[in-house]
Amino acid sequence: MLHIIKLAVGCPDIADLRGWQAERARTHPPLRHRTRNFPRRAPEIVGEGSIYWVIAGAVQVRQRIRDIIADTMDDGSACAAMVLDPKLVPVEPRRMKPFQGWRYLAADDAPIDLGTRRRASGEDLLPPQLARELRGLCLL
């Protein structure tokens, strides 16, 4: 299994992404993200893979990629469309530097869904800001 990681450019939070996608799904179904380049490793992604969205400098949420199909941009040029499940799944936040386009993300390197991680001993005693920073550095 393989995933994709992508910046949600101009999106300040998960709620904004959710609203933008709901409107897009209503006006241009199915819900999809278009990209110029077709992923060569698409068979490893479709079905079980997800797109992990980087929002405000951190990976914060993912959604399942149902399919990857040939599509057309608004200007008529060919592209690929990642057909997305509308459900957004929050993940353990992880800081990420900006990058162009999208990248492959190995399953072993993907952030885990919120609430599925075993908590470290004494983690609940840490001030919230410190715990957040330590998680961002992958130290918790």
Side-chain angles (χ1 to χ4, degrees), residues 4 38-39 41-43 45-46 65-70 80-83:
I4 296 281
F38 198 95
R41 298 175 68 184
I45 299 167
V46 172
I65 298 173
R66 290 182 173 171
D67 202 1
I68 301 175
I69 59 175
M82 296 178 209
V83 180

Side-chain angles (χ1 to χ4, degrees), residues 34-134:
R34 293 184 199 158
T35 181
R36 205 172 330 184
N37 298 314
F38 198 95
R40 289 188 182 115
R41 298 175 68 184
E44 297 174 68
I45 299 167
V46 172
E48 295 295 317
S50 292
I51 186 167
Y52 283 77
W53 292 105
V54 178
I55 301 171
V59 180
Q60 295 189 37
V61 69
R62 70 173 179 87
Q63 60 194 137
R64 183 84 58 214
I65 298 173
R66 290 182 173 171
D67 202 1
I68 301 175
I69 59 175
D71 202 356
T72 306
M73 292 284 201
D74 294 337
D75 66 2
S77 61
C79 68
M82 296 178 209
V83 180
L84 305 175
D85 187 299
K87 182 180 178 186
L88 294 171
V89 180
V91 298
E92 290 281 336
R94 182 182 300 167
R95 292 238 175 260
M96 180 69 59
K97 292 181 181 180
F99 57 90
Q100 292 287 323
W102 52 265
R103 301 284 183 264
Y104 291 116
L105 177 64
D108 291 342
D109 296 332
I112 62 172
D113 295 352
L114 273 181
T116 60
R117 177 178 63 85
R118 216 174 90 208
R119 299 183 71 75
S121 176
E123 183 176 347
D124 295 334
L125 303 174
L126 294 172
Q129 176 70 22
L130 178 59
R132 191 170 27 258
E133 288 181 32
L134 291 172

